[in-house]
Amino acid sequence: MLFRSAFFAASAIATISTAAIAVDAPTDPQIAHIAYTADSLDIAAGKQALSKSHNKAVRAFAEEMVRDHTTVNDKALALVKELKVTPQDNPTSEGLTKAADAERAKLAKMSGAAFDREYVNNEVAYHKTVNGALEKVLIPSSKNAKLKSLLETGLTLFREHQAHAEQIAKDLK
Amino acid sequence: MIARSRLCPLLAASVGALLLSAADAPATAAPHIYTIVIDKLKFGPAPAQLHKGDTILWVNNDLFRHTATAADHSFDVDLMPGKAGKTVLTKSGSIPFFCRYHPNMRGVLQVK
Ligand SMILES: [Cu+2]
C-alpha cells in the first residue's frame, strides 16, 4: 500500500505543522492537485472494471464511481479556474498515482470473480485512505472556503462510496 | 407544482361533495402531493400525516444522481441531478427507503 504510506507521511507532516510550523502543510494548489488526482484515479479504476467485469452489482458500482467522481472533478476544474489556481504536483499525488498504477496492472491480469473481489476490496481500501486524508489533512489545511466546501462535499460522497463498496464486498463473499 | 394547484381544488371539491352527501362519514383529507428534496447527499424530512393515495414528489437538487428506493421494492425512482420523480402511495404502513448508490441516504415514510 504505497499510497497509504504517502498519506501517513502527509498526515504526520500536518500534525507537526499544526503544532509548530505551518510550512509543511499542503498548500491549496497542492490540495487541489491531490483531490483531482484521487478522483481521476478512481475514474480510471471504474473504467477498467467496466471493461472487465460481468457482475451486475460491480458494474453498477463502477458506473457510479465514474459518474460521481467525474461530477466532483468538473466542479474542481471550474473552481481552480475561478480561483486562478494552478494545481501543483506533489509527493502525495505521486504516491497515489504510483499505487493506483500498480493496482491497475495487477487487476489487468485478473478476471471473473477474482477480479470483482480485488476491485471492490481495493475500492474499500482506496476510499478509506482518501477519506482519512481529506478528514485529517486536506480539509483542515485548505485555506480557500470554496475549496474547503468542495472537499467536504467530496468527503460526504466518498464515505457513501466506501459504505457502498463495503456492502458489495460483503455480498461477493 | 403545477400538478398540485390543478389537482387539489378538484379533489377538495369532490371530497366536499362527499362529505355533504354523507355527513356521518369520517372526514378524510384529499390526496396531496408532498415534496421531499434531496440535497448534499441527504433526503429531506419525510412529511408527517401521509395517507394512502398521496403522492411523494422526489426533487433531486443535488449534484449527483440518486434513487428513492423502497426497502420492500414497492417503488424505485431514478433521480438524475436537477430532476424530479413521483411515487403514489398505494399502501399504508411504515416504508423504509434508501438510495441504491449511497447506502447511508435513507428515510422512512409513515403512511396511514
Ligand atoms: Cu444517492
Side-chain angles (χ1 to χ4, degrees):
Chain A
M1 302 306 265
L2 254 175
F3 59 84
R4 189 162 284 184
S5 57
F7 269 121
F8 280 151
S11 82
I13 288 164
T15 310
I16 294 161
S17 71
T18 44
I21 12 149
V23 118
D24 285 324
T27 63
D28 279 5
Q30 288 174 331
I31 291 168
H33 196 282
I34 294 165
Y36 191 81
T37 302
D39 274 321
S40 302
L41 294 171
D42 205 48
I43 292 167
K47 285 182 175 164
Q48 183 185 40
L50 287 170
S51 77
K52 289 184 73 97
S53 178
H54 301 285
N55 181 295
K56 208 179 147 199
V58 171
R59 292 187 63 85
F61 175 81
E63 274 168 11
E64 175 191 337
M65 293 308 106
V66 173
R67 186 171 64 234
D68 284 356
H69 285 278
T70 301
T71 301
V72 174
N73 261 3
D74 289 349
K75 281 271 149 192
L77 278 184
L79 182 62
V80 294
K81 211 173 151 190
E82 180 194 325
L83 300 175
K84 297 189 170 68
V85 165
T86 307
Q88 191 184 64
D89 203 357
N90 58 85
T92 303
S93 291
E94 280 163 27
L96 274 174
T97 305
K98 246 185 210 163
D101 288 349
E103 182 64 27
R104 204 177 311 113
K106 181 181 175 185
L107 280 164
K109 296 188 202 114
M110 303 176 89
S111 61
F115 174 91
D116 291 338
R117 268 196 301 273
E118 177 62 26
Y119 167 64
V120 173
N121 285 338
N122 188 64
E123 284 297 293
V124 172
Y126 185 80
H127 281 89
K128 227 182 241 177
T129 304
V130 171
N131 291 344
L134 278 167
E135 195 177 13
K136 293 187 184 73
V137 185
L138 306 178
I139 292 173
S141 306
S142 62
K143 302 276 185 293
N144 183 278
K146 284 184 178 173
L147 177 62
K148 201 186 274 284
S149 161
L150 181 63
L151 296 172
E152 278 162 353
T153 301
L155 179 57
T156 308
L157 179 71
F158 305 159
R159 278 179 176 150
E160 293 286 354
H161 291 170
Q162 186 188 327
H164 194 178
E166 282 166 350
Q167 205 176 63
I168 297 172
K170 221 166 83 190
D171 293 344
L172 285 178
K173 262 169 198 161
Chain B
M1 298 317 283
I2 294 162
R4 182 184 199 162
S5 51
R6 277 169 61 179
L7 198 66
C8 283
L10 251 176
L11 287 168
S14 62
V15 168
L18 261 174
L19 288 176
L20 280 176
S21 62
D24 290 353
T28 49
H32 264 290
I33 299 176
Y34 294 96
T35 300
I36 296 180
V37 175
I38 301 169
D39 198 14
K40 296 188 191 305
L41 294 127
K42 272 203 173 82
F43 287 103
Q49 300 295 325
L50 290 170
H51 293 87
K52 243 163 52 169
D54 285 346
T55 295
I56 301 290
L57 182 66
W58 309 93
V59 177
N60 183 5
N61 279 350
D62 210 355
L63 295 171
F64 311 104
R65 179 178 175 180
H66 298 295
T67 73
T69 304
D72 65 3
H73 302 290
S74 58
F75 58 83
D76 184 13
V77 185
D78 195 2
L79 296 158
M80 298 303 276
K83 298 278 191 264
K86 274 180 196 175
T87 298
V88 178
L89 302 170
T90 53
K91 57 168 209 173
S92 56
S94 173
I95 311 170
F97 62 91
F98 60 94
C99 168
R100 275 191 278 116
Y101 301 122
H102 309 111
N104 295 318
M105 288 179 63
R106 40 184 70 247
V108 182
L109 302 176
Q110 301 287 357
V111 186
K112 279 181 193 156

